[in-house]
Amino acid sequence: MNLIFLGAPGAGKGTQAEIVGKRYSLPTVSTGNIIRAALKAGTPLGLEAKSFIEAGRLVPDEVVIAIIKERLAEPDCENGFILDGFPRTIPQAEALDAMGVPIDCVLDLEVPDETIEKRLGGRRVCPDCGGSYHLDYKPPKKPETCDNCGGKLMQRKDDAPETVSERLRVYHAETQPLIDFYDRQGKLVVVRGQEKVEDTTALTLKALEERA
């Protein structure tokens, strides 16, 4: 299966993509992870993307498309994949079509903005080892301290309240046309995100099994 997972930042699509990927032995292609790795490594792509990400804006299409082209050409994508975070705009979707990549199902994970703002506002990361925490859902044993390496936890700039609001505004403006685009193609499936991850997973798997 070639799948696309859509959802606002913090909706939990990355978590669901990982679960589905393990269940069906599909690689998850996450542009967010690729770009963050480039940021950390200080590559030309990372430097180019940095100003956009910190301002809560989307990375330009030409940069993202170049990343995806390279990734989908790798051997592990031959029998299917999950795209997480791409496409986000109509031009990106059209570029995907132009690449000759067939998409079997587009899953849209919908979560209210106020829920997302709470989720993202509580996220903390360890800059030393990459450990991830949440003040409400996955707190560290000691306040602001990584359980793994003892590093001081921090809030990513793109999780700050003012940046989250801008990210959500941009997401809705840019991605709603994309949702309509795939709905017209008959490929869209909507899953309502639940409070518990496992409940969202159950709905996600059911939706995909019905489309298989």
Side-chain angles (χ1 to χ4, degrees), residues 97-168:
D97 287 344
M99 287 161 58
V101 179
I103 299 299
D104 299 305
C105 180
V106 179
L107 191 140
D108 177 30
L109 183 57
E110 294 195 350
V111 177
D113 284 1
E114 55 268 26
T115 301
I116 288 174
E117 288 169 354
K118 180 181 179 183
R119 285 181 184 177
L120 295 185
R123 290 204 305 198
R124 297 294 184 273
V125 295
C126 176
D128 298 326
C129 73
S132 180
Y133 301 86
H134 194 284
L135 300 183
D136 295 323
Y137 308 121
K138 188 187 173 185
K141 294 175 183 176
K142 291 175 61 178
E144 300 299 323
T145 303
C146 179
D147 295 347
N148 301 322
C149 71
K152 182 175 176 57
L153 300 182
M154 60 173 286
Q155 184 179 56
R156 290 194 342 221
K157 287 185 178 180
D158 52 351
D159 285 342
E162 62 277 8
T163 307
V164 169
S165 295
E166 175 64 9
R167 290 172 74 195
L168 288 171

Side-chain angles (χ1 to χ4, degrees), residues 32-54:
N33 288 344
I34 295 171
I35 291 172
R36 276 192 286 274
L39 280 170
K40 188 173 182 180
T43 64
L45 169 64
L47 295 174
E48 188 173 353
K50 184 176 181 180
S51 61
F52 292 93
I53 292 173
E54 290 185 348

Side-chain angles (χ1 to χ4, degrees), residues 64-91:
V64 180
I65 289 166
I67 296 171
I68 294 298
K69 272 188 176 180
E70 189 173 73
R71 181 66 183 88
L72 294 185
E74 295 182 15
D76 63 335
C77 291
E78 287 181 356
N79 296 318
F81 53 80
I82 300 171
L83 285 175
D84 171 16
F86 181 91
R88 279 180 170 157
T89 64
I90 295 294

